[in-house]
Amino acid sequence: MHITQLNRECLLHLFSFLDKNSRKSLAKTCHKLLEVFQDPILWSLLNFNSPVELKKRNFLLGPALKYLSICWYSERVKVCNIEDWMKNNFQKDFCNKHENTVTDFLLEVGNRCPNLLSLTLSGCGHVTDDCLLLLLRNCPSLKTLKLENCVRITDRTLEAVTLYGRSLQTLHVDFCRNITQTGLERVREKCPSVMLRAERSANMIPDSKPEKKFMLEKSSRKLVQL
């Protein structure tokens, strides 16, 4: 029996064992398999290991998506985590190639995936508060939000959680250096039922502009002299 002679239920079951690339390759062989590839049932969960994977278009994005994870553990993440004003030209060029990749993708998710239940972002150094605010507002069923090493996330995201995270049960903001203790306390106060974890975040050195750092160093020198 040829694979195309199998009924749709069997084909969907077979596709469910394949990764995104294999599904896409198989879908290119004939129209029937392409239709199976495009069935929303296959795409309730998406995992990505780098921003580059988001551009492959080897997946289907829609209301069926429930679980999304983008985790980038490459050494190159360290470049994205450097404060913008401290980056040299090489580092800036590197970041420019993918600076908006994850953000643009998440904006699509916010507009097309209203049934999202879980979002995990790790090493996504260019994701902004505005992006997560849109997601929280447009995905009212979101129960789990896990952020790790997302350096541009600030207390604005925590504020959005208190305003729009009505279904949220779990919130992790680990190693997000621009999160403050004040923001965390506000979440605990406004959303006592949320399981909040913030490993190291409020204890890390936050970003600041060069002139601000200069003023702090100047003040420190004056104190030492006194």
Side-chain angles (χ1 to χ4, degrees), residues 62-128:
L65 182 63
K66 301 288 183 64
Y67 306 94
L68 173 62
S69 172
I70 306 174
C71 297
W72 194 21
Y73 298 120
S74 167
E75 284 292 312
R76 290 174 290 180
V77 171
K78 294 179 180 179
V79 176
C80 300
N81 289 343
I82 299 172
E83 292 185 51
D84 290 339
W85 67 272
M86 293 181 65
K87 291 176 183 174
N88 58 39
N89 289 334
F90 172 79
Q91 292 165 335
K92 289 178 180 177
D93 288 342
F94 172 78
C95 287
N96 285 339
K97 293 178 181 178
H98 64 264
E99 181 168 4
N100 297 318
T101 302
V102 178
T103 297
D104 290 346
F105 175 77
L106 290 176
L107 291 176
E108 276 193 74
V109 171
N111 289 322
R112 297 169 59 183
C113 308
N115 301 313
L116 190 68
L117 297 177
S118 175
L119 173 63
T120 299
L121 301 176
S122 180
C124 298
H126 299 298
V127 173
T128 64

Side-chain angles (χ1 to χ4, degrees), residues 53-69:
E53 288 190 17
L54 302 178
K55 297 181 178 182
K56 290 184 176 180
R57 295 300 174 185
N58 55 356
F59 56 90
L60 186 71
L61 200 60
L65 182 63
K66 301 288 183 64
Y67 306 94
L68 173 62
S69 172

Side-chain angles (χ1 to χ4, degrees), residues 14 19 30 46 57 89 123 134 154-155 172 193 206 214:
L14 288 174
D19 59 31
C30 71
L46 284 173
R57 295 300 174 185
N89 289 334
L134 176 71
T154 72
D155 287 355
H172 293 178
S193 62
F214 175 76

